[in-house]
Amino acid sequence: MQTTNVFLLFFIFPISLEGCCEENHKKKTTGLQQNIHQHYRAVEGEMFMMPCLKSVSQVVWSRTGEQNERLSFDCGSKFLAEAKHSGNYTCLTCGSKLSLHLQVVEKNSLGCQSEESSVILVMFRGGVVDCPGINCSDNTDVIWYKDNKYVSEQPRESWEKNGQLHLEQVKEKDTGQYFCDRKIIEQGVKWIFRRAVHVTAIPYVKPSTPKIHYPTDNTREEVELGQSHTLECVVHFPFELKVVAVVQWYVHYGGNMENMTRLHMKEQRMENLTRAEFKVTGRVVVTPQHLNHRYTCIASNSVGKTNVTIQLKRKMKDEKEFDVFLSYVGSPPSAEVEGVFTMSPKEACSSSMDLLNSEEGKATQRPEVQLPHVLEDQWGYRLCLLERDVLPGGAYTNDVVLAIQRSQMLICLLSADYLSNNNAVFVLESGVQALLQNSSLKLLLIWTSRASSLIQPDPPLPTLVQRALKVLPSMDWTSGKTAGVSSNFWRSLRKAMPNHRVAGVSHAGPLDCLTKTSVTEFSEFV
């Protein structure tokens, strides 16, 4: 009887061992066996990995059926699941018929199974990764993969329990895409529900409050009253396992720091900077009617809060680079006249008064020569001259409009040549349009000859210019003894100039070194 017991024990033990090993082997398969048809389920908008077979070195899945688009995937291929991927697939390289049906379901149809598919773990600590939707089912039998390899077969300390993947000590290499397979049965059909989880391993960061990088406290931002303005707050947060990152703008009416009202945020954008830090940018749009209010940005996380308060200041409109845009059409100077402006400063000082009485000096009495020297060298205004201050090669129309916008005043020297020159007329017309749009611009016409106004150019002047010539402020150019005796022209011009100058200019022109006596004598000339 004792022999019989030993024999029975020996007979039963191998059977139970074989069953244990067989169960363990089943748990480590991808769920696919040859000569069968399997059903896989994926979530739309979530990563999915096509299954592999250990017994087949190369597996290629090709979709079959009447779909217009034929799809093929290698095993282990990962892609963002879409509805178009649903269908039947056949492995044509497996040696025997093996097929699967893939069903891509919408995420909002999952109910409680639509859990987060990403997790952050702290390095050198233990970590737990949940299979999404595991709490919605009694079946906690889950198989985990990293890429297309079993986690249980990888050389690291880990275990699977109740649908969770436990990592004994998180390392940097644990960052990556994981997949968990869970079996479900619906209407007698066995499904493998494959879910994706992205794991990010981060270094330990000592908890700290967020840091506001912009704006700084007590700064002033320029605004135009009555115009919308965007307030921006840029904050750096340390990574936390449970991210609590809040950026919010508040307004203090009348500057009262106790009377604070929360503003509606226009946008809040998050951006990873490093594995240990991320940035949040919060924006809000305000339309200030006055400058009495103050604005505060408060940033908070699980550790605490930090804040900055700013004020607004009036933005200076029409900031200018030039006092005067001087527009003219002049004849090219002779060689002798060119020589006058290439003298050394010493020669210019000794011969300046002789220059005024010479034949060559008379050439310098042309308005396009005199005006720049008087306005810029003598009166200290900064001029914009197209041939000098605008780089060649650009778009002429854009350059003209921009130059006018950058100037406090436009002076046009009108002559028959000017009114017959298309480019010059365009300058005048652009100035009139700018004047209609911005009343702060000054526009002055200086007629070199009133007879020019009787000439009818071909083609005719634009209607806007014709009307402007009749109503805009104008002066008559005078030169020679008439100007030198009365100087009415220069006194009137001085009164018409801008009250405030832009940044000063310095030119070493031949008239800069005149003595006080010479300046008195020169006043008779101008």
Side-chain angles (χ1 to χ4, degrees), residues 392-425:
Y396 179 81
T397 56
N398 292 339
D399 290 341
V400 167
V401 173
L402 185 60
I404 292 175
Q405 291 174 349
R406 292 177 175 176
S407 304
Q408 296 190 75
M409 184 177 189
L410 172 62
I411 296 179
C412 298
L413 290 177
L414 301 183
S415 63
D417 290 337
Y418 189 100
L419 298 177
S420 301
N421 186 294
N422 290 336
N423 288 340
V425 172

Side-chain angles (χ1 to χ4, degrees), residues 239-429:
F239 263 118
E240 299 178 277
L241 291 181
K242 292 184 178 180
V243 177
V244 181
V246 179
V247 176
Q248 183 62 52
W249 276 102
Y250 296 85
V251 60
H252 307 275
Y253 291 109
N256 184 357
M257 299 303 291
E258 301 298 327
N259 183 16
M260 186 168 66
T261 302
R262 183 175 179 174
L263 296 175
H264 175 70
M265 299 295 291
K266 174 187 177 183
E267 179 186 14
Q268 197 156 217
R269 186 179 63 201
M270 182 181 294
E271 176 186 351
N272 289 334
L273 298 176
T274 65
R275 289 185 303 157
E277 189 178 43
F278 63 95
K279 178 176 72 174
V280 176
T281 302
R283 295 186 178 92
V284 66
V285 177
V286 297
T287 306
Q289 302 297 333
H290 51 75
L291 303 177
N292 296 336
H293 300 335
R294 292 189 178 187
Y295 298 86
T296 296
C297 174
I298 299 179
S300 60
N301 62 1
S302 62
V303 178
K305 298 179 179 180
T306 185
N307 65 84
V308 297
T309 299
I310 67 169
Q311 290 181 273
L312 304 180
K313 66 178 181 179
R314 188 188 302 272
K315 186 176 182 180
M316 297 301 295
K317 296 184 179 180
D318 302 312
E319 294 183 356
K320 305 298 183 182
E321 296 181 22
F322 302 100
D323 292 307
V324 179
F325 183 132
L326 182 59
S327 174
Y328 60 84
V329 174
S331 57
S334 62
E336 291 80 1
V337 175
E338 288 179 354
V340 171
F341 295 104
T342 56
M343 291 189 295
S344 66
K346 183 176 181 180
E347 293 172 326
C349 282
S350 63
S351 61
S352 59
M353 296 314 301
D354 294 334
L355 169 64
L356 300 178
N357 298 319
S358 66
E359 292 298 324
E360 295 174 357
K362 293 179 181 179
T364 66
Q365 296 180 23
R366 297 197 311 269
E368 67 269 20
V369 176
Q370 274 197 17
L371 274 172
H373 282 282
V374 173
L375 296 179
E376 201 160 51
D377 296 328
Q378 297 301 307
W379 293 355
Y381 290 102
R382 180 164 182 164
L383 301 188
C384 176
L385 306 176
L386 282 178
E387 68 274 15
R388 184 191 71 183
D389 299 312
V390 177
L391 294 175
Y396 179 81
T397 56
N398 292 339
D399 290 341
V400 167
V401 173
L402 185 60
I404 292 175
Q405 291 174 349
R406 292 177 175 176
S407 304
Q408 296 190 75
M409 184 177 189
L410 172 62
I411 296 179
C412 298
L413 290 177
L414 301 183
S415 63
D417 290 337
Y418 189 100
L419 298 177
S420 301
N421 186 294
N422 290 336
N423 288 340
V425 172
F426 176 77
V427 174
L428 175 56
E429 184 178 17

Side-chain angles (χ1 to χ4, degrees), residues 137-173:
S137 172
D138 295 333
N139 182 11
T140 59
D141 187 14
V142 174
I143 301 177
W144 283 92
Y145 305 86
K146 184 181 181 186
D147 296 327
N148 62 343
K149 297 179 180 179
Y150 299 112
V151 173
S152 59
E153 294 183 354
Q154 296 186 18
R156 58 119 51 251
E157 293 295 328
S158 65
W159 65 94
E160 302 166 16
K161 183 179 180 181
N162 297 329
Q164 296 176 320
L165 174 63
H166 293 258
L167 304 177
E168 183 174 353
Q169 189 179 69
V170 178
K171 300 179 181 179
E172 183 177 1
K173 65 180 181 180

